[in-house]
Amino acid sequence: GYYIEVTHAAADKVPADYVRKQTIKNAERYITDELKRYESEALTAAERAKTLEANIFEDVRRQLAEHIAALQSAAEAIATLDVLAGLAQLAVERDYRRPTVTQDNVLHIVAGRHPVLAEQLRERFVPNDVKMGPDDNRLLIITGPNMSGKSTYIRQTALLVLLAQAGSFIPADQATIGLADRIFTRVGAADELTRGLSTFMLEMVETANILNNATSRSLVILDEVGRGTSTCDGLALAWAISEHIALTIRCRTLFATHYHELTELEDLLDGTTNLNVAVREWADEVIFLHKIVPGGTDQSYGVHVARLAGVPKEVIDRARAILPQLQARVAEGLDMPALARRARKAAAQMDLFADPATRVAREIRDVDIENITPMQALDLLRRLRGELSVSYTHLTLPTN
């Protein structure tokens, strides 16, 4: 508290109205009525300030409660202006263009750019086009090397659709975007071990969500689906997922993959188109052009990317020596002409039966065996077996 301290030497000069409060070694401490009142005010000032503040706040709140509707309307208007002003400023500063948003199930983007990477990379960022429609190019199979820009391409497409439907201009020279009811994504590699979900299991959970909930109006982007398991299992899943999306859901889908076998889907499924990321090989180097062009590719340049990452030279050299041997072993294991000849032999036995089996059999007989691709041959075999009923199990069909 508060007190007046007087030394013992001056004790005889203490006024009569001083009241002794405490004695210490070399002095006496006194208090007066006026000082006591001041002490009380000082020590309770903080509490009284809080009480006053609370009373004022409650009074203001009572007054504001009478105007809730007007305040909420004003807040909504300010928030809308804030968002629109931010989008407008962004459009002016970064030269965004106004997209045409339609009810048609299309997606046409000319020289689209990733809204974040394009600013970070500036002149080094390469714009790309997107052309998708309700009948053509519904499913885009995108192949190409690691680190070449496949993931950037599919993600920027989803972001541009999201920006357009939010009412923003977008980083593109021109765009016509059909409304999407939802945007589904399956990208990245992660796990949720606390829930008992491995990387691949989580990948399949997210894929299942897409397949069970996407509609023909949805936009789906898939990045390396099926890579978390064995090659055969993963390829089979990726193939079946692509078929289901193309034939059943029929939504706009961009699928970036290293399963080069999926490029065969362009010839098998309506609305499927192959795209790849252009590269140039020069002086034992691979130059990524980051440009999306029509067609498929059969190389991923993974060893080259490993070298860029700093993997020791002896490991890179060993990988380069092993790679041709593995490729030859795969090619030997998939003797496509031999498989096609077996399919043709089985088809000859099916001439006795009526359509639809006969139609597939005739298609097999007309195939150019020596130039058939792996997935064409396997697809013919799959269709051949699928057309047979259990009563034809006596036929000699390839089982592998």
Side-chain angles (χ1 to χ4, degrees), residues 139 207 211 222 225 232-249 255 262 265 269 375 382:
L139 172 59
T207 302
L211 299 180
L222 303 173
V225 170
C232 292
D233 283 352
L235 176 56
L237 283 167
W239 185 286
I241 290 167
S242 300
E243 278 188 347
H244 183 77
I245 289 175
L247 300 177
T248 303
I249 303 177
F255 190 171
L262 295 184
L265 291 173
L269 302 177
M375 297 316 299
R382 178 181 58 80

Side-chain angles (χ1 to χ4, degrees), residues 81-396:
L81 287 173
D82 182 36
V83 171
L84 294 177
L87 294 177
Q89 180 180 356
L90 194 67
V92 171
E93 292 177 351
R94 300 187 179 181
D95 194 27
Y96 285 8
R97 305 297 173 84
R98 179 180 179 177
T100 300
V101 180
T102 73
Q103 293 290 342
D104 299 326
N105 204 11
V106 299
L107 181 54
H108 296 166
I109 299 173
V110 177
R113 307 183 300 278
H114 193 289
V116 177
L117 292 181
E119 291 304 306
Q120 293 179 341
L121 300 178
R122 298 289 180 174
E123 292 80 7
R124 291 185 295 147
F125 189 86
V126 179
N128 276 294
D129 300 342
V130 180
K131 186 174 183 181
M132 307 179 76
D135 300 316
D136 299 327
N137 305 333
R138 289 194 312 272
L139 172 59
L140 301 182
I141 303 295
I142 307 160
T143 52
N146 293 287
M147 299 295 295
S148 61
K150 299 190 302 298
S151 296
T152 297
Y153 178 70
I154 65 175
R155 295 182 195 202
Q156 86 178 28
T157 301
L159 286 172
L160 296 188
V161 171
L162 183 61
L163 282 173
Q165 292 195 200
S168 174
F169 285 31
I170 66 173
D173 289 352
Q174 183 180 343
T176 300
I177 296 175
L179 287 172
D181 57 5
R182 278 176 288 186
I183 299 175
F184 290 96
T185 66
R186 159 81 286 275
V187 298
D191 57 47
E192 291 190 16
L193 298 182
T194 56
R195 294 173 54 199
L197 300 179
S198 66
T199 302
F200 181 66
M201 184 60 178
L202 184 60
E203 177 183 325
M204 289 297 100
V205 167
E206 294 180 354
T207 302
N209 176 60
I210 294 173
L211 299 180
N212 290 324
N213 294 289
T215 72
S216 61
R217 299 291 308 188
S218 301
L219 174 65
V220 174
I221 64 171
L222 303 173
D223 197 358
E224 302 296 350
V225 170
R227 299 297 290 185
T229 185
S230 70
T231 301
C232 292
D233 283 352
L235 176 56
L237 283 167
W239 185 286
I241 290 167
S242 300
E243 278 188 347
H244 183 77
I245 289 175
L247 300 177
T248 303
I249 303 177
R250 300 176 66 85
C251 63
R252 291 163 292 179
T253 303
L254 295 90
F255 190 171
T257 182
H258 284 290
Y259 286 133
H260 304 127
E261 295 83 354
L262 295 184
T263 58
E264 301 296 331
L265 291 173
E266 184 179 63
D267 299 327
L268 302 173
L269 302 177
D270 292 337
T272 302
T273 300
N274 289 328
L275 299 176
N276 74 92
V277 189
V279 299
R280 291 292 182 271
E281 297 185 49
W282 180 78
D284 200 32
E285 292 289 332
V286 178
I287 302 172
F288 300 146
L289 302 183
H290 305 294
K291 194 67 178 177
I292 304 296
V293 297
T297 184
D298 59 357
Q299 295 191 66
S300 294
Y301 299 99
V303 176
H304 174 73
V305 174
R307 183 180 65 82
L308 293 177
V311 175
K313 183 177 181 302
E314 56 269 24
V315 175
I316 298 298
D317 292 342
R318 178 57 179 157
R320 284 175 171 165
I322 295 172
L323 183 59
Q325 301 176 32
L326 296 178
Q327 290 173 333
R329 183 178 300 177
V330 171
E332 180 181 354
L334 291 176
D335 185 353
M336 288 306 107
L339 286 178
R341 279 190 288 272
R342 293 173 63 188
R344 179 172 293 179
K345 180 179 179 181
Q349 303 177 59
M350 295 180 63
D351 280 340
L352 299 176
F353 307 108
D355 289 339
T358 303
R359 174 173 51 79
V360 180
R362 289 172 181 168
E363 185 177 340
I364 293 175
R365 290 201 308 272
D366 294 337
V367 166
D368 181 0
I369 288 182
E370 299 305 324
N371 295 314
I372 192 171
T373 63
M375 297 316 299
Q376 285 175 330
L378 293 177
D379 181 67
L380 286 175
L381 290 174
R382 178 181 58 80
R383 291 172 58 194
L384 179 64
R385 295 178 61 82
E387 298 289 0
L388 295 177
S389 69
V390 292
S391 61
Y392 302 148
T393 54
H394 64 282
L395 292 179
T396 307

